[in-house]
Each structure stands twice: as structure tokens, then as C-alpha cells.
Amino acid sequence: ATGTVGQSWNIDANFTSSNSNVISNDTANAIISITGCAVDFTLQWSSISFGALSPNTDQNAAPGNSNASYNITINSGSCTLDLYTKGTDLTNGTNSFRIGVGNITWSNVSNTYSTSVNLTSSNVPINKSVVPVVNVSTWYWLNVPSVFAGRYNGTITITGVENGQSP
């Protein structure tokens, strides 16, 4: 799409047929926004699995921390980006128990727990003004409270926006 930067357009598809036995279908609108540049980054991982951990244990490092596996790469041709993160509670699908999102800590400074901060359910900056072809390293830990043993799943979201924009 082309147009004035900041302009938005609603698009959808409307399917109709001359056959009276076919019902027409109009899809929901999607919003296309004209931006000045592309937000383009790559996560160097698809998931973090802490494995089997004991209750009442703290500072459990994510397995990839030791070799800096949790990198975010700003791709060539991207805008200068501001990177944000947020998360969800970890939930057990079997018994509905939860580990609060604040029990996950993260750092963008070093693989040292003392530099980490609690993950929250709101976007917080990882790094701002990150230029293309730069890697931003992150590290993660899990503090396990008194919970029943089992598999707990949650989501960590990384968002990139054009420098100076809101996530």
C-alpha cells in the first residue's frame, strides 16, 4: 500500500456468487497502516523450557542463558526500533494452578541473576533506539513457589516498534 505516512485503510474480502445456492461471505476488516519504515526483527529462539524444577526453588536459569541463546536481531533494512517485553502467568493445564508472571525474571545486561527484573503483564522496555544489524541479548530465570508439580505454560511477548512509538 502507498499513501501518506500514518494513514490507515480498512480492507476486507467480499465473496459473492451468481449461484443462488451459494451464500455470500464478507470477511472482517483488517487495518493496513502506512509506515515510514519496516519494523523487522528476528528472535533467535522459539520457546524457553525450564525443564523439571522443584517447588520452592529460586534463580532457576533458563537452559540457553549459558550460551546467550535468547538474542533479538534487528534485521538489515529495519527502522531503528524500541523493543519491549511482557508475559503471562504460567498455568497448569491439568489442575489450573498458576505461577505468577512476576516469578519469571529477565535481564538485558548480563547472565547474572542480580541484574534481572521481574517480568510483568505490561510492556516494559528491553532496549530503545536499537539500530539495524544489532543483536540484543536477554537472559531468563524462574523462581518456583510452592505449587503442585506439573507442566506449566505461559507466554513471553517481544514487541518491536519504530523508535519513539508506543507498543
Side-chain angles (χ1 to χ4, degrees), residues 6-69:
Q7 188 175 20
S8 295
W9 300 92
N10 288 328
I11 65 167
D12 69 0
N14 187 357
F15 300 97
T16 59
S17 173
S18 58
N19 183 337
S20 61
N21 294 326
V22 176
I23 299 172
S24 65
N25 186 5
D26 188 12
T27 65
N29 285 344
I31 299 173
I32 301 292
S33 298
I34 308 300
T35 61
C37 60
V39 172
D40 188 14
F41 66 96
T42 303
L43 298 180
Q44 302 300 325
W45 76 97
S46 60
S47 66
I48 300 171
S49 177
F50 286 91
L53 300 174
S54 298
N56 289 326
T57 59
D58 291 334
Q59 302 180 24
N60 296 289
N65 281 7
S66 60
N67 58 1
S69 294

Side-chain angles (χ1 to χ4, degrees), residues 98-141:
R98 294 182 178 274
I99 298 174
V101 66
N103 287 287
I104 302 168
T105 66
W106 66 277
S107 176
N108 63 347
V109 177
S110 71
N111 183 19
T112 306
Y113 181 81
S114 63
T115 66
S116 71
V117 296
N118 297 81
L119 191 62
T120 69
S121 59
S122 299
N123 279 309
V124 294
I126 297 172
N127 269 352
K128 291 191 171 186
S129 301
V130 185
V131 297
V133 197
V134 166
N135 285 322
V136 175
S137 295
T138 57
W139 296 268
Y140 300 88
W141 294 266

